[in-house]
Amino acid sequence: MATGQYLQELALELVRRGHEVTVVTSRRAYDHPEKRFPKSETWRGIRIHRVGATGFGKTAKWRRASDFATFMFCCAARLAFMPRPDAIIALTSPPLISFLGACLAKFHRCRFFYWVMDFNPDQAIAAGWLRPNSLAGKLLERMSRFSLRAAAKVIVLDRFMRDRITAKGVAPGNISVSPLWAREGEVRFDETERNRFREEQGIAGKFVVMHAGNHSPCHPLETLLQAARQLRHDPNIIFCFIGGGSEFRKLQQLTVNGQETANIRCLPYRPLSELSAVLSSADLHVVVMGDPFVGIVHPCKIYNVLSVAAPMLYIGPNPSHVTDLIDSMKNGHFCAAARHGDVNRVVSEIERARKCADNNNRQVPQSLMSRHSIGTALPNLAAVLESI
């Protein structure tokens, strides 16, 4: 998943700078819990310890809760027998793993960094999975605030996350906005791979509208699906959904039968080696954010979309981090936005993008790409950690 990929690149950067890095993570693959990795190994200078957990998967809430709870228990047990660290960095996946990191940092009296990507329990409350006034909701909120207060630095991805955390009483000086970056080494526009992938999937010669990445309730697809239904009689437009997650499985079931979904393709996650081919194959990328999730989740997929310089359609609230990026692109690169429920606008923008399609002239403002390049954003993040 994206958080693990970004953590990997940060760990490699810290090793390059001369730090000793140990990672504690799960033995099970993110979307295939039946697959297990070795318990421990050293990879490119990073010591990796993997712990067990139940592997029930994500088909029901109790299954996910069991996987999270058992991972937390096994993680705590493993950390208890590790040498004292100088600093602990905790992410937000699984939810509230940061609380475990904050407690361990208090015990060892070492520095704690909280790298916020998907903010919980705010995300669970916004999605309707958790009632804010319930006992569980109140407990998880207290655990979250403990993590925020314990951090020497809270690292967030955009100004909306910063404002949400500031509203919880965290001093602005303890928050650093560090944007994510594109995977430039693996992701670029590749005409040859684009054509190969489109031939393999039987979509050559079509105008491909793509939603790639995690399909979760945070990224509601109903407006896009309604647009697909409205355009189902146009044989030259294909909607391609690539990824995984709970909503992806629902989408797969929806497309098993029925004429209304004949113009929809569903493909599972592709290996990193195919990412350029997959993203380059789209004529229009769609980025979706649910209305309640501004400042809670961050659309990190947008950076790889920018790397292939693909036209982009955003469906979601305004303002948001995505609209901030759209506003910064003034050189004619095709970017459009629509609100949830405005199906006619989405259809209109898809048709307009098809008329302006020019895969031979894909360009994104260099100032924007340099700000979100791995060569700029990753060293800046590492410098934030070293500055404490």
Side-chain angles (χ1 to χ4, degrees):
M1 63 184 299
T3 53
Q5 292 167 356
Y6 284 113
L7 178 62
Q8 170 190 303
E9 288 172 333
L10 174 60
L12 289 172
E13 174 68 12
L14 292 174
V15 168
R16 188 188 70 79
R17 289 170 173 248
H19 300 286
E20 295 181 3
V21 178
T22 300
V23 174
V24 179
T25 186
S26 173
R27 288 195 67 191
R28 295 184 182 272
Y30 174 67
D31 227 33
H32 298 282
E34 71 282 356
K35 182 178 179 180
R36 298 192 184 193
F37 299 105
K39 287 185 177 182
S40 62
E41 65 177 305
T42 299
W43 178 78
R44 296 177 64 178
I46 304 168
R47 290 190 293 270
I48 303 173
H49 299 289
R50 298 186 179 93
V51 301
T54 55
F56 292 130
K58 296 180 285 186
T59 56
K61 291 178 184 177
W62 71 266
R63 292 174 179 269
R64 300 188 71 167
S66 173
D67 290 352
F68 288 154
T70 53
F71 170 76
M72 292 276 282
F73 176 81
C74 293
C75 189
R78 184 67 185 86
L79 290 169
F81 292 97
M82 292 180 63
R84 176 190 179 277
D86 296 307
I88 294 172
I89 303 172
L91 276 64
T92 50
S93 179
L96 296 176
I97 190 68
S98 59
F99 178 75
L100 183 58
C103 290
L104 188 67
K106 287 281 188 183
F107 176 77
H108 284 303
R109 297 183 181 180
C110 66
R111 294 176 179 86
F112 172 60
F113 297 95
Y114 188 7
W115 194 6
V116 179
M117 293 193 181
D118 296 327
F119 194 39
N120 275 295
D122 300 52
Q123 181 182 9
I125 292 170
W129 303 328
L130 184 67
R131 295 193 307 275
N133 295 322
S134 66
L135 180 61
K138 292 178 179 178
L139 176 62
L140 293 175
E141 176 64 20
R142 292 190 69 174
M143 293 168 68
S144 173
R145 288 177 183 259
F146 174 82
S147 302
L148 293 169
R149 289 195 303 269
K153 186 70 75 174
V154 179
I155 301 162
V156 299
L157 309 184
D158 58 52
R159 65 184 180 96
F160 300 95
M161 282 186 170
R162 177 199 62 203
D163 293 346
R164 173 173 285 271
I165 291 172
T166 301
K168 293 179 181 288
V170 178
N174 283 0
I175 304 173
S176 175
V177 179
S178 296
L180 294 176
W181 51 87
R183 301 186 63 84
E184 298 163 14
E186 297 89 4
V187 183
R188 65 194 183 283
F189 180 69
D190 190 320
E191 182 73 28
T192 301
E193 287 300 298
R194 163 187 163 88
N195 293 333
R196 178 191 61 78
F197 184 82
R198 288 165 67 96
E199 287 285 350
E200 287 178 358
Q201 301 302 326
I203 55 178
K206 308 290 186 181
F207 184 81
V208 177
V209 181
M210 181 177 290
H211 180 280
N214 188 34
H215 294 56
S216 82
C218 304
H219 313 290
L221 298 175
E222 185 55 35
T223 300
L224 182 60
L225 290 174
Q226 288 184 32
R229 294 187 190 105
Q230 197 164 312
L231 291 166
R232 68 185 182 276
H233 300 300
D234 188 330
N236 295 314
I237 299 179
I238 291 292
F239 291 78
C240 191
F241 295 86
I242 300 179
S246 58
E247 299 304 300
F248 183 76
R249 284 184 285 276
K250 293 178 184 177
L251 188 60
Q252 286 178 309
Q253 294 170 0
L254 178 69
T255 56
V256 170
N257 297 301
Q259 294 296 319
E260 288 192 350
T261 56
N263 61 341
I264 294 176
R265 303 285 190 276
C266 290
L267 299 171
Y269 280 119
R270 317 297 290 189
L272 190 57
S273 59
E274 292 186 29
L275 197 53
S276 286
V278 171
L279 298 184
S280 297
S281 69
D283 298 294
L284 178 67
H285 275 280
V286 181
V287 177
V288 180
M289 177 181 284
D291 287 337
F293 296 99
V294 174
I296 296 175
V297 300
H298 184 84
C300 58
K301 62 176 281 183
I302 195 171
Y303 304 116
N304 287 331
V305 171
L306 292 174
S307 288
V308 298
M312 182 183 70
L313 171 62
Y314 165 65
I315 303 175
N318 185 1
S320 72
H321 181 66
V322 182
T323 59
D324 280 359
L325 291 176
I326 290 174
D327 290 342
S328 69
M329 289 188 279
K330 304 294 186 183
N331 71 332
H333 180 77
F334 183 93
C335 286
R339 302 299 292 266
H340 288 289
D342 194 350
V343 179
N344 290 335
R345 174 68 182 271
V346 172
V347 169
S348 174
E349 294 296 352
I350 291 172
E351 292 176 333
R352 185 165 73 92
R354 180 165 59 160
K355 291 176 183 176
C356 330
D358 182 7
N359 289 309
N360 296 316
N361 187 32
R362 289 192 173 190
Q363 293 183 341
V364 174
Q366 284 303 308
S367 60
L368 179 65
M369 285 311 299
S370 64
R371 189 163 69 248
H372 294 288
S373 71
I374 191 170
T376 299
L378 179 55
N380 286 347
L381 174 59
V384 169
L385 303 177
E386 291 178 330
S387 68
I388 304 300

